Amino acid sequence: MNIFIIGLNHRTAPVEIREKLAFPEKELGSPLLRLLESEEIREGMLLSTCNRTEIIAVSGGIEKALESTKAFLAKEKNLDSRGLQDYLYVHVGANAVSHLFRVASGMDSMVVGEPQILAQVKSAYSQATDVKACGIILNKLLHRTFEVAKKVRSETGIAALPVSVASVAVDLARQIFERIEGRTVLLLGAGEMVELAAQYFIDCGVTRLMIANRTRERAEALTARFGGSVIPLESVDKHLPVADIVLSSIGGLSAFIDPEPVRGAIDKRGGRPIFFIDIAVPRNVHPKVNELESAYVYDIDDLKRVADKNTQSRHRAAAQAESIIDGARVDFNRWMNTLDVVPTIRRLREWAEEIARGESEKTLRRLRDISPEQQDAIRQMARAIVNKMLHRPMMRMKDLSGGRKELYYIAAIRQLFDVNTEEGPEERREEGDGE
Amino acid sequence: MFFKLAQASAVLYLAAGVSVLVYLAVGRTGFIRAGRFLLIAGLLLQAGAIAGVIHFSSGGAVPSPVQQAVTFLAFAIVGLHLLFSLRYGIPGFAAPIAILAFLLTFYASFPRIATGVKVEETVGLWPHLHMILALIGLALFGFAFLAGILYLLEERRLKDKRVNPTFFRMPPLEVLDRVNTLCLMIGLPLLTLGMVTGSIWISRDAGRLWTWAPHEVFALVTWSLYVGLAFLRFYRKQRGRRAAWGAVLGFVVAVGGYFSTRLI
């Protein structure tokens, strides 16, 4: 029984290929059912985000399963399966387990530690369970995955630090204002950077935008998209008192936001702070503004410095996360190994023989006046009863091994007889084999 | 018994402070939860110590009046923090709170050697009312003091652009300023009531409302200072850095006055 993952991501495939291979995020059920039609795939789930498409599956015969999964991808998307080959990665067994742990913890993401991916994995899993595509192994694996992702987040603090310029700006604003929801943002300029930042602010709950730009049409295009009002560039000073955050990115102008009007604006605001994010080069905000009380100015270099510092400490956190993931992978493999038929049968037999031995010795202690031959006969009898009783179920289990129902029988036996194979010597050996 | 409980809660407060500092340094949220748990445990033990003094003031070592006051002050500060943290997400704030609570509790957790001076008996309604009101007021100002210090440090960092991961785990400036306002708004009336009840207590003893004793003079100075701060904040709309300085200064004067007059 093998877990494997076939997929591609932002590192292995360019966006044109990722687009072609993407599945609609909310409709993963029906392609998944088509995947499960192939005989070798026992359990499966499909994960598709803008940066990755992956199939996570369990199979009996790994070689065949890999082939049919690749063929499935090519067929679903009408692609040449040989051309696709170059972009795909394949992880099997322990590698597949740790890959999934890393993906869900955001360690494999474009922005390391980003939190959205966990929600996407959860949604993919719930769609897979909706079509009953997950069995014992994937259920256990995904629950472990969610635990690991949660642990990585809470123990390393990896997701807590902003690393992009826009998110640094918003996080600095969060350190100034009690909350960012409902704030007013004044945007100066209407270029691509401003547009991106505007989108980010709106996503974070900013409710009111004011936009001033040299060409009014461009500003109006932005208000059409995000809402808000257009103000003339000349009257920016007049609007400063209502702005909590000012984001400026007008190229080719010398600093036109002077300390004097800012001081007046802060007085009118009753001392409430204004946060200036100045991403223009040359700068739009006069450096002396930062010296005013309750005015904070960050230019593009300042923001980059903070982002870099955070990136460094994210890398430290990432090392910690890797060790959490490693530990979890070893645990999971140990569990996987308990699902094998052979150790289960052996432990069951050992358990039964133990009982036979114990009971016959107890009986023999009470019967003092019997010969050694008679003692042997009693021991023999106890062993024989055990062997006879176990013979048929054991044969059945061997017959079932490799079939779809195998795991359910093994799980049932372990439950019913309380057989714990985790400590067996064989498992320890196999665990050493992992990676 | 009092001292045993006080020592135990001092240890718990110290552990809470260290735990939250570790959170601030490395960002693991587990340390915040541990810190809160330790604070609550310390608070409960301290409540036990206080209840013990009130109900079973039997023989054995008894805390001095200053130790009682300091114990109650620590208790009130931690209690206020737990109350405030229900409303505001201020996890990082628990670090200075816990450390201040530790220092206060530690001071009150070893019997002072008798100096031969008979401990004045403070029993009855008015003395207790006076002490409790004044001490809760003082606790609120202590709270504002810590918020003020954090505000000044954080603001400096933000201005100088020396922000680091720890900075992002601290409460926002606006919240610190709001806490400061809130403390002034509640603390000043409590201090005022504390002074009124104190006067009533004195008038029962001395027949006059005011005796010009050193601690009364200091109380008056403190009170005037906070009235001034309240005026600046609520009528002049002062906030931010200057208000933070005010809170720091006010508490230094209040505590300095309290201790110097009590310890004389």
Side-chain angles (χ1 to χ4, degrees), chain B residues 232-248:
Chain B
L232 285 175
R233 186 179 273 279
F234 298 116
Y235 289 94
R236 287 294 178 79
K237 300 289 172 209
Q238 189 187 68
R239 53 165 74 213
R241 198 192 309 173
R242 273 179 245 177
W245 273 117
V248 172

Side-chain angles (χ1 to χ4, degrees), chain A residues 154-157 160-162 168 171-172 174-179 183 270-273 289-299 302 305-306 309-310 313 320, chain B residues 26-31 33 87-88 151 154-155 157-175 178 237-243:
Chain A
S154 67
E155 293 198 2
T156 68
L161 298 171
V168 166
D171 276 46
L172 283 169
R174 281 191 212 282
Q175 289 306 111
I176 298 173
F177 302 108
E178 185 180 344
R179 54 180 163 266
R183 297 286 166 178
R272 280 181 299 125
V289 172
N290 193 44
E291 290 166 19
L292 296 174
E293 192 172 335
S294 297
Y296 306 94
V297 183
Y298 273 68
D299 63 34
D302 299 330
R305 250 195 312 276
V306 178
K309 208 178 272 178
N310 287 346
S313 71
Q320 254 177 321
Chain B
V26 304
R28 290 191 192 182
T29 48
F31 286 101
R33 282 196 296 275
R87 168 71 182 79
Y88 299 107
Y151 187 99
E154 253 186 76
E155 213 244 358
R157 245 172 207 288
L158 193 65
K159 278 270 190 210
D160 297 348
K161 294 156 189 180
R162 289 181 295 116
V163 302
N164 56 7
T166 301
F167 173 84
F168 286 103
R169 293 171 197 132
M170 300 305 279
L173 292 178
E174 232 180 32
V175 168
R178 171 99 32 112
K237 300 289 172 209
Q238 189 187 68
R239 53 165 74 213
R241 198 192 309 173
R242 273 179 245 177

Side-chain angles (χ1 to χ4, degrees), chain A residues 46-270:
Chain A
L46 185 55
L47 174 67
S48 185
T49 73
C50 54
N51 281 332
R52 71 179 67 243
T53 296
E54 295 192 352
I55 287 174
I56 300 129
V58 176
S59 77
I62 187 74
E63 292 303 326
K64 271 186 169 172
L66 292 178
E67 279 317 305
S68 62
T69 308
K70 284 177 190 166
F72 160 81
L73 278 175
K75 193 174 158 222
E76 282 286 312
K77 296 296 170 184
N78 282 324
L79 293 166
D80 171 34
S81 77
R82 251 174 307 161
L84 198 57
Q85 187 86 17
D86 297 341
Y87 303 110
L88 292 178
Y89 45 78
V90 175
H91 297 296
V92 180
N95 289 335
V97 171
S98 57
H99 176 78
L100 183 62
F101 289 168
R102 300 185 76 252
V103 167
S105 324
M107 306 295 300
D108 201 46
S109 299
M110 202 182 263
V111 176
V112 172
E114 59 97 6
Q116 269 172 337
I117 183 70
L118 180 58
Q120 289 163 330
V121 174
K122 280 186 175 161
S123 149
Y125 172 60
S126 91
Q127 291 182 60
T129 54
D130 285 348
V131 297
K132 301 197 165 53
C134 293
I136 287 184
I137 293 184
L138 283 191
N139 284 332
K140 178 91 172 182
L141 177 62
L142 269 295
H143 286 123
R144 271 309 276 156
T145 303
F146 300 144
E147 284 166 31
V148 169
K150 197 176 157 209
K151 196 170 171 194
V152 165
R153 189 135 315 156
S154 67
E155 293 198 2
T156 68
I158 195 160
L161 298 171
V163 289
S164 75
V165 166
S167 63
V168 166
V170 166
D171 276 46
L172 283 169
R174 281 191 212 282
Q175 289 306 111
I176 298 173
F177 302 108
E178 185 180 344
R179 54 180 163 266
I180 206 151
E181 291 80 10
R183 297 286 166 178
T184 300
V185 176
L186 171 58
L187 301 169
L188 306 176
E192 198 187 344
M193 284 289 267
V194 173
E195 195 177 331
L196 278 174
Q199 180 66 58
Y200 199 79
F201 279 123
I202 296 283
D203 290 346
C204 292
V206 163
T207 45
R208 195 163 159 227
L209 292 179
M210 294 186 293
I211 304 177
N213 193 35
R214 274 181 296 203
T215 52
R216 201 181 164 90
E217 291 72 36
R218 188 75 192 107
E220 276 166 355
L222 278 193
T223 52
R225 196 172 142 203
F226 298 116
S229 53
V230 177
I231 60 168
L233 197 54
E234 303 74 50
S235 66
V236 161
D237 288 351
K238 230 171 57 201
H239 289 88
L240 275 181
V242 284
D244 299 298
I245 298 167
V246 178
L247 181 110
S248 67
S249 175
I250 299 188
L253 275 187
S254 60
F256 63 91
I257 296 183
D258 290 320
E260 223 18 71
V262 175
R263 190 202 306 273
I266 289 175
D267 280 347
K268 277 207 189 114
R269 291 165 62 77

Side-chain angles (χ1 to χ4, degrees), chain B residues 76 101 162 174 195 227 259:
Chain B
R162 289 181 295 116
E174 232 180 32
M195 303 233 336
V227 170
F259 279 101

Side-chain angles (χ1 to χ4, degrees), chain A residues 356-373:
Chain A
R357 199 165 25 243
E359 291 304 312
S360 48
E361 293 309 317
K362 217 187 319 177
T363 309
L364 288 174
R365 273 200 297 279
R366 263 178 279 151
L367 305 172
R368 298 222 177 88
D369 314 321
I370 55 173
S371 69
E373 288 79 22

